[in-house]
Amino acid sequence: VMRHRAVKSTFLRFVISGGTGFVIFYVLALVIGSLTDLAEGAAAFVATLAAIPPTFLLQRSFTFRVEDRPAARFAGYLALQF
């Protein structure tokens, strides 16, 4: 029962951090698209790049509560995004 509760808690935190990352991406894409002459695809690409670090930090500290080697883990996380 405790293991099941821990998995549910981690999953809920994962959904929250992923949803927050999506909101960051979406708002940035809208703002970049409306304030610049970039095409939609280019604005989305820039927004994706900008949303990756905060999403990584949320998943790392809030979802999975990991404290070791952030630079090495970020490189792997970044590679998975593309």
Side-chain angles (χ1 to χ4, degrees):
V1 173
M2 289 298 280
R3 175 79 176 133
H4 180 67
R5 193 171 296 159
V7 169
K8 283 177 66 176
S9 176
T10 301
F11 179 74
L12 180 60
R13 289 191 311 266
F14 182 78
V15 169
I16 291 169
S17 63
T20 301
F22 173 75
V23 169
I24 292 169
F25 159 78
Y26 188 73
V27 169
L28 285 174
L30 288 176
V31 169
I32 292 168
S34 66
L35 296 179
T36 68
D37 292 333
L38 287 176
E40 287 180 5
F45 180 73
V46 171
T48 298
L49 291 178
I52 290 172
T55 304
F56 168 76
L57 292 173
L58 269 173
Q59 289 182 352
R60 189 177 147 65
S61 62
F62 175 67
T63 304
F64 301 110
R65 300 178 180 168
V66 176
E67 299 296 328
D68 65 329
R69 304 180 317 140
R73 291 189 185 270
F74 182 71
Y77 182 83
L78 185 61
L80 287 173
Q81 302 307 307
F82 298 102

